[in-house]
Amino acid sequence: DELRNPQNCADPLVGPSTELSAEQAVCVQLDAMRNNNEPFANHGITTLYSFCEGAGGMELSRYFLGKSSSLYHLDHFMGKMSELPHLRDLLNYEVLSCEEVGQGEAARATVVARVLPHAKANVPPATYTFVLKRRDFGLCQGAWVTERVTFEADASS
């Protein structure tokens, strides 16, 4: 076997774009997580990382449940995915609401989605909240990116 740096992976099929609404940006991420390993291993997680506001930066990110984390490398992000247990084995989802406020760099959006994990995940369905902002610099300037993801699991399951 050839030694391979896990950072040398293909780009996701769809990444942040000014052509996507906030809701579409979340749907791209959840669609990728439904088929995490297609077209390549961890494609879904790579897609989430590409939409993560703190990805690749030196500043601590609050992406995972609002807790401070270093997401400088994709492998750091992958290591934190256990904090979002319903997404790893996502079966399906439904967007419940999307609220956008502000304009330009001050624009923010909150997208709420109901997620249904595969039975093998052994976790109940949950309601996820994606908090997005417009990227204010770089190649994806003006695109919706995810600042934070939180969830509330069903108590009844």
Side-chain angles (χ1 to χ4, degrees):
D1 278 273
E2 173 180 332
L3 292 178
R4 178 168 140 55
N5 178 341
Q7 299 301 310
N8 294 335
C9 60
D11 289 332
L13 294 178
V14 180
S17 166
T18 56
E19 302 298 315
L20 298 174
S21 69
E23 182 174 339
Q24 290 169 326
V26 170
C27 289
V28 163
Q29 295 172 73
L30 292 175
D31 287 343
M33 287 306 296
R34 261 199 305 218
N35 298 297
N36 182 43
N37 292 314
E38 297 295 331
F40 57 84
N42 293 313
H43 172 262
I45 294 172
T46 302
T47 301
L48 289 179
Y49 186 71
S50 76
F51 278 90
C52 174
E53 170 60 17
M58 298 302 286
E59 298 288 326
L60 292 177
S61 170
R62 294 194 179 271
Y63 181 91
F64 289 96
L65 311 175
K67 301 174 189 172
S68 293
S69 304
S70 168
L71 301 179
Y72 183 70
H73 293 288
L74 174 60
D75 51 341
H76 290 187
F77 189 87
M78 292 174 83
K80 299 290 285 181
M81 280 301 297
S82 64
E83 295 189 28
L84 305 176
H86 313 85
L87 297 185
R88 187 66 183 213
D89 292 303
L90 183 62
L91 176 64
N92 210 348
Y93 70 92
E94 175 187 4
V95 173
L96 302 177
S97 66
C98 177
E99 180 182 349
E100 295 182 23
V101 296
Q103 297 289 322
E105 291 180 10
R108 294 286 187 272
T110 302
V111 179
V112 178
R114 180 96 177 113
V115 301
L116 177 65
H118 282 280
K120 68 181 179 179
N122 200 29
V123 294
T127 302
Y128 271 66
T129 301
F130 290 76
V131 177
L132 297 94
K133 66 176 277 188
R134 294 269 188 193
R135 178 156 285 155
D136 53 4
F137 63 91
L139 295 176
C140 302
Q141 184 174 355
W144 287 107
V145 290
T146 307
E147 203 169 32
R148 181 174 56 257
V149 178
T150 60
F151 72 88
E152 187 172 317
D154 284 6
S156 60
S157 297

